[in-house]
Amino acid sequence: MHHVVIVGAGFGGLAAAQELAGAAVRITIIDQRNHHLFQPLLYQVATAALATSEIAWPIRFLVRKRREVTTLLGVVNGVDAQNRTVLLQDGAVVSFDTLILATGARHAYFGHDEWEPFAPGLKTLEDATSIRRRVLLSLERAERESDPVRRAALLTYVIVGGGPTGVEMAGAIVELVYQNLVGEFRRIDTRQARVLLIEAGPRILPSFAPDLSAYAHRALERLGVEVQVGSAVTSCNSSGVVAGDRSIAADVILWAAGVRASPAAAWLGAPADNAGRVKVAADLSVPGNADIFVLGDTATINVWRGKPAPGIAPAAKQQGVHVARTIKRRLAGDSQPRAFRYMHAGDLATIGKRSAVIDFGWCKLRGWIAWWVWGMAHIYFLIGLRNRLAVALSWLWIYMTGSRSACLITQVDHNKRTN
Amino acid sequence: MHHVVIVGAGFGGLAAAQELAGAAVRITIIDQRNHHLFQPLLYQVATAALATSEIAWPIRFLVRKRREVTTLLGVVNGVDAQNRTVLLQDGAVVSFDTLILATGARHAYFGHDEWEPFAPGLKTLEDATSIRRRVLLSLERAERESDPVRRAALLTYVIVGGGPTGVEMAGAIVELVYQNLVGEFRRIDTRQARVLLIEAGPRILPSFAPDLSAYAHRALERLGVEVQVGSAVTSCNSSGVVAGDRSIAADVILWAAGVRASPAAAWLGAPADNAGRVKVAADLSVPGNADIFVLGDTATINVWRGKPAPGIAPAAKQQGVHVARTIKRRLAGDSQPRAFRYMHAGDLATIGKRSAVIDFGWCKLRGWIAWWVWGMAHIYFLIGLRNRLAVALSWLWIYMTGSRSACLITQVDHNKRTN
């Protein structure tokens, strides 16, 4: 039977597997994690609002009823296109008839990988619990610090990058320290913390309409965030950041400024763009190799307003569905390639827990009504009733009581700073 | 104002802080964790039934309304009794008028600390997520293993120690592999896994009445656990355990066989028993130092049927309350020491999710009714409505759907085995 191997069970890979239900194929899903992660809410794990298990599901649980789907936990580190095999780190080899690479992206530092220990990014559950640990630990250390200069640095949070992730992190952190944790400390007043959002471009949320950017800017400032646009970060180290001509002493720096695709292009020897994304053909196959598809954050293709599809869940899902349909058509004897068309549903970003901006293109929403649309949409897109109930309970609780349930400092910090 | 320093915010330390509410004291709580942990349900985190945040609360959140209580995150590593100071690892010094040491215990290996990497114990949230990781990872590896001998070892789970923790772990793991995960794997049948519970003494649950031990033994066997009593473990390594005259190849070994008190006795230069517990006076003070109290798993005193109070939450709580009342009486001018009296409420242990044994002394319960009493009691003792709702939802969900919500493999395993 035709064997489809899907590497990566993010939004794209999983959508492909789901769309292939009922087709005359057997499927192997390979992922280096045992879980699918709902990344749009990851910042809420990082800021202690949600538990890890509320936004992650074991991959094999999600496909348990599909007897033709086998799930393997493993790290892929190569593809032999000629022999149609995927190579795993531990030496195992998996052969395929059709291969779908949906291996996503990691955060990137524009050639400054040495910044990573000081400015972690947010892509995995471990990233989220590690950021949660840093944020909460800085407050604990400030409570025990007598030197006012050190204490001020401990209470300064810098978020680099003004896209949706940066905006959402800044809003969540400022609410955490200005609202949720007020009254829990005795020697410090958490309301004296500073939260800075630094964006290199001329405005935050550059993918949104300018008036929504301006609204988000004002809304963040109302919450207490210091928003600084037009200033690129030129240094990150253990004492803080240099942004534009300003040097900011900060203990916690969070990186939301850039991503780099997984090394699928190198596995394939395929041409890639600056961010490492494979330049795929119109039908999302790899040029010169019709049986290998690349999608999601690992691929790039100009399909939307003359630009690449954005690196968001709906784009990856649509691509997964498109590839699955291509495979089904081929099995039915129709090998005519069809171009992927991207339908942009809109851009969403929350600003704290009472406001959001949504740009549907034909309609713009902002304020509390946008927050409710955002909240409903995200609960809708969660998988399964149980997690919908759990997330709704968590949000309701924070709304009603102002206290977050997951303020836990756990695990050692592997990127431990030197100071 | 009289300054009470409480080291350790477990059940004992927290009970002391609560009982001191309204007294003319200021209180400093020092803990090396930022959270209080509901240890009786920790095995459910280890077996993927509950999320970490459902059984842990930030200490400073629990005492946020008590303006006279300061919470410090720090590692104590000494006490200067003469100068009445507590010494922290980072060099800080905290002075006290009265000191309460409630620093608990860690699991212990009877002089075989070299077993720890192969047979982790269960005391902290990290222990629990690390055990969860090992159990789930062994199944993932078995799914990819072609050698039947290796595969069998990957699917063998050995729990060492037949007390309540061992019994509860064994019951939870056997339900996980025999019920909850059935149908999620394609190459292995998780029902072929073996779960062994090994106890050195003549019967499991030795603190219970013999007929309840016998019932628990049969109930575990009905679930599929191989129970082996009267066989001491003489070796643990990367290939398995040797128990009595049997060598068992096993990838996952869990330790529930013994504890050792935190080093409070060494800090104080006080006499201790074999498990390192300080031999305290009848009023729980340290002999020769009336202003220092030791309680919970860190102390030992023969107060119950001629034996030490058991290492369970109610004993620690009662001791915390007793010490707090002693302090209040002293502040009121009454320095006559009063002996701590332990009230034993009973022994409880669950066997999977449909049965339990409860020994109240005057009354014994077993089967599903005992499970319900156990479940209600544990939800009652959780702190706050939010966590009660969350745990009740988690249990209800597992009951109704048979699927556990927290089957996540996260974090690196720091005790990584060599094979």
Side-chain angles (χ1 to χ4, degrees):
Chain A
M1 193 177 270
H2 191 91
H3 186 205
V4 178
V5 172
I6 301 173
V7 184
F11 288 108
L14 213 54
Q18 281 159 348
E19 184 69 18
L20 283 169
V25 294
R26 66 186 180 91
I27 299 173
T28 301
I29 299 176
I30 307 174
D31 199 298
Q32 56 184 327
R33 307 271 163 175
N34 84 322
H35 50 269
H36 168 74
L37 179 63
F38 193 78
Q39 280 195 2
L41 290 179
L42 195 53
Y43 80 97
Q44 297 214 352
V45 174
T47 52
L50 295 179
T52 51
S53 55
E54 289 174 348
I55 61 160
W57 302 259
I59 298 160
R60 58 175 70 259
F61 171 77
L62 295 176
V63 293
R64 69 195 181 284
K65 291 179 183 155
R66 302 269 305 279
R67 300 302 306 178
E68 82 282 15
V69 181
T70 301
T71 308
L72 299 180
L73 180 73
V75 179
V76 169
N77 66 356
V79 173
D80 182 340
Q82 200 154 14
N83 292 310
R84 293 170 180 254
T85 54
V86 171
L87 315 172
L88 274 67
Q89 200 174 48
D90 57 8
V93 169
V94 179
S95 59
F96 61 83
D97 296 307
T98 300
L99 175 63
I100 302 174
L101 295 173
T103 40
R106 283 286 293 170
H107 40 272
Y109 295 85
F110 311 126
H112 286 281
D113 287 350
E114 73 275 14
W115 294 353
E116 181 161 22
F118 311 110
L122 184 65
K123 278 282 173 189
T124 67
L125 283 182
E126 286 87 351
D127 291 342
T129 50
S130 165
I131 287 175
R132 182 176 76 185
R133 179 183 164 82
R134 285 190 189 211
V135 170
L136 296 173
L137 207 48
S138 69
L139 294 163
E140 296 291 341
R141 287 183 177 147
E143 178 84 343
R144 292 194 47 203
E145 180 62 57
S146 49
D147 173 7
V149 174
R150 276 289 303 141
R151 186 183 275 194
L154 283 163
L155 292 176
T156 302
Y157 303 89
V158 175
I159 297 107
V160 183
T165 303
V167 166
E168 292 178 335
M169 285 292 290
I173 290 176
V174 82
E175 285 189 343
L176 182 72
V177 294
Y178 283 16
Q179 298 172 22
N180 306 136
L181 296 180
V182 167
E184 293 194 13
F185 292 80
R186 297 291 175 265
R187 301 175 178 180
I188 58 167
D189 180 349
T190 57
R191 283 168 296 196
Q192 309 206 317
R194 292 174 63 200
V195 180
L196 291 91
L197 178 65
I198 295 176
E199 163 62 35
R203 61 183 174 105
I204 61 169
L205 299 178
S207 63
F208 289 65
D211 59 328
L212 289 180
S213 286
Y215 174 83
H217 191 124
R218 287 193 310 272
L220 281 174
E221 287 184 336
R222 260 198 310 272
L223 284 176
V225 177
E226 300 173 38
V227 182
Q228 185 176 332
V229 294
S231 73
V233 167
T234 53
S235 167
C236 284
N237 57 48
S238 65
S239 43
V241 299
V242 178
D245 52 3
R246 251 176 110 191
S247 177
I248 304 159
D251 219 61
V252 178
I253 310 166
L254 304 176
W255 192 261
V259 294
R260 183 163 183 85
S262 64
W267 301 341
L268 299 168
D273 71 359
N274 285 338
R277 293 177 293 198
V278 175
K279 293 181 178 173
V280 290
D283 67 345
L284 305 176
S285 66
V286 175
N289 205 324
D291 294 329
I292 301 180
F293 296 91
V294 186
L295 54 80
D297 288 352
T298 322
T300 183
I301 179 173
N302 289 347
V303 288
W304 180 54
R305 304 177 191 167
K307 291 185 302 182
I312 57 178
K317 284 183 179 179
Q318 291 174 29
Q319 294 181 349
V321 169
H322 184 83
V323 167
R325 289 184 179 160
T326 299
I327 294 169
K328 288 195 284 190
R329 271 199 308 270
R330 286 184 189 172
L331 291 171
D334 170 8
S335 58
Q336 184 67 31
R338 300 207 193 159
F340 168 67
R341 283 179 214 287
Y342 172 60
M343 292 279 294
H344 188 62
D347 287 302
L348 294 78
T350 52
I351 303 144
K353 66 172 190 278
R354 299 194 196 278
S355 185
V357 286
I358 304 184
D359 190 344
F360 287 122
W362 52 277
C363 162
K364 293 170 197 163
L365 293 176
R366 59 200 206 184
W368 64 268
I369 186 140
W371 193 94
W372 277 96
V373 172
W374 174 90
M376 292 295 165
H378 281 71
I379 284 184
Y380 173 79
F381 282 115
L382 288 173
I383 301 170
L385 180 61
R386 196 217 173 293
N387 285 35
R388 288 183 188 136
L389 286 175
V391 169
L393 173 65
S394 294
W395 286 351
L396 190 69
W397 200 263
I398 295 172
Y399 248 94
M400 290 185 355
T401 68
S403 75
R404 304 195 184 200
S405 62
C407 288
L408 302 178
I409 299 177
T410 53
Q411 305 290 348
V412 233
D413 190 341
H414 298 293
N415 286 327
K416 197 176 276 186
R417 295 168 52 159
T418 45
N419 64 336
Chain B
M1 193 177 271
H2 191 91
H3 186 205
V4 178
V5 172
I6 301 173
V7 184
F11 288 108
L14 213 53
Q18 280 158 350
E19 184 68 19
L20 283 169
V25 294
R26 65 187 181 91
I27 298 172
T28 301
I29 299 175
I30 307 174
D31 199 297
Q32 57 185 328
R33 306 271 164 176
N34 85 321
H35 50 269
H36 169 74
L37 178 64
F38 193 78
Q39 281 195 1
L41 291 180
L42 195 53
Y43 80 97
Q44 298 215 351
V45 174
T47 53
L50 295 179
T52 51
S53 55
E54 289 174 351
I55 60 160
W57 302 259
I59 298 160
R60 59 174 70 259
F61 171 77
L62 295 176
V63 293
R64 68 194 180 285
K65 291 179 184 156
R66 303 268 305 278
R67 298 303 304 177
E68 82 283 14
V69 181
T70 302
T71 308
L72 300 180
L73 181 73
V75 179
V76 169
N77 67 356
V79 173
D80 183 340
Q82 200 155 14
N83 293 312
R84 293 171 178 252
T85 53
V86 170
L87 314 172
L88 273 68
Q89 201 176 47
D90 58 7
V93 169
V94 179
S95 58
F96 62 82
D97 296 306
T98 301
L99 175 64
I100 302 175
L101 294 172
T103 41
R106 282 288 291 171
H107 41 271
Y109 295 85
F110 310 126
H112 287 282
D113 286 349
E114 73 276 12
W115 294 353
E116 181 160 22
F118 311 110
L122 184 64
K123 277 283 173 190
T124 66
L125 283 182
E126 286 87 352
D127 291 341
T129 50
S130 165
I131 286 176
R132 182 175 76 185
R133 180 185 163 82
R134 284 190 191 212
V135 170
L136 296 174
L137 207 48
S138 69
L139 295 162
E140 296 291 341
R141 288 183 177 147
E143 177 84 344
R144 291 195 47 203
E145 179 64 56
S146 49
D147 174 8
V149 175
R150 276 289 303 140
R151 186 185 275 195
L154 283 163
L155 291 175
T156 302
Y157 303 90
V158 175
I159 296 106
V160 183
T165 302
V167 166
E168 292 179 334
M169 286 290 292
I173 289 175
V174 83
E175 284 190 344
L176 183 71
V177 293
Y178 283 17
Q179 298 172 22
N180 306 136
L181 295 181
V182 168
E184 293 194 13
F185 292 81
R186 299 291 175 263
R187 302 174 178 181
I188 59 169
D189 180 348
T190 57
R191 283 168 297 197
Q192 309 207 316
R194 292 174 64 200
V195 180
L196 291 91
L197 178 65
I198 295 176
E199 162 63 35
R203 60 182 174 105
I204 61 168
L205 298 179
S207 64
F208 289 65
D211 59 328
L212 288 181
S213 286
Y215 174 83
H217 190 123
R218 288 194 308 273
L220 281 174
E221 287 183 337
R222 259 198 309 274
L223 283 177
V225 178
E226 300 172 39
V227 182
Q228 184 175 334
V229 295
S231 74
V233 167
T234 53
S235 167
C236 284
N237 57 47
S238 66
S239 43
V241 299
V242 179
D245 51 4
R246 250 178 110 190
S247 177
I248 304 159
D251 219 61
V252 178
I253 309 166
L254 305 176
W255 192 260
V259 294
R260 182 162 183 85
S262 65
W267 301 341
L268 299 168
D273 72 0
N274 284 338
R277 293 177 295 199
V278 176
K279 293 180 176 173
V280 290
D283 66 345
L284 306 176
S285 67
V286 175
N289 204 325
D291 295 328
I292 301 181
F293 296 91
V294 186
L295 54 80
D297 288 352
T298 322
T300 183
I301 180 173
N302 288 348
V303 287
W304 179 55
R305 305 174 190 169
K307 290 185 303 184
I312 57 178
K317 283 183 179 178
Q318 292 174 30
Q319 295 181 348
V321 169
H322 184 83
V323 167
R325 289 183 180 160
T326 300
I327 293 169
K328 288 195 283 190
R329 271 199 307 272
R330 285 184 188 171
L331 291 171
D334 171 10
S335 57
Q336 183 68 30
R338 302 207 192 159
F340 168 68
R341 281 178 214 289
Y342 172 60
M343 292 279 296
H344 188 61
D347 287 302
L348 295 80
T350 51
I351 304 145
K353 65 171 190 279
R354 299 193 196 279
S355 184
V357 286
I358 304 185
D359 191 344
F360 287 122
W362 53 274
C363 162
K364 292 172 197 161
L365 294 176
R366 58 199 206 186
W368 64 268
I369 187 142
W371 192 95
W372 277 96
V373 172
W374 173 90
M376 292 294 165
H378 280 72
I379 284 183
Y380 173 79
F381 282 115
L382 288 172
I383 302 171
L385 179 62
R386 196 215 173 293
N387 284 37
R388 288 183 187 135
L389 287 176
V391 170
L393 173 66
S394 294
W395 286 352
L396 189 69
W397 200 263
I398 295 171
Y399 248 94
M400 291 187 353
T401 68
S403 75
R404 304 195 183 200
S405 62
C407 289
L408 302 178
I409 298 177
T410 53
Q411 304 290 348
V412 232
D413 190 343
H414 298 292
N415 286 328
K416 197 175 275 186
R417 297 168 52 159
T418 44
N419 64 335

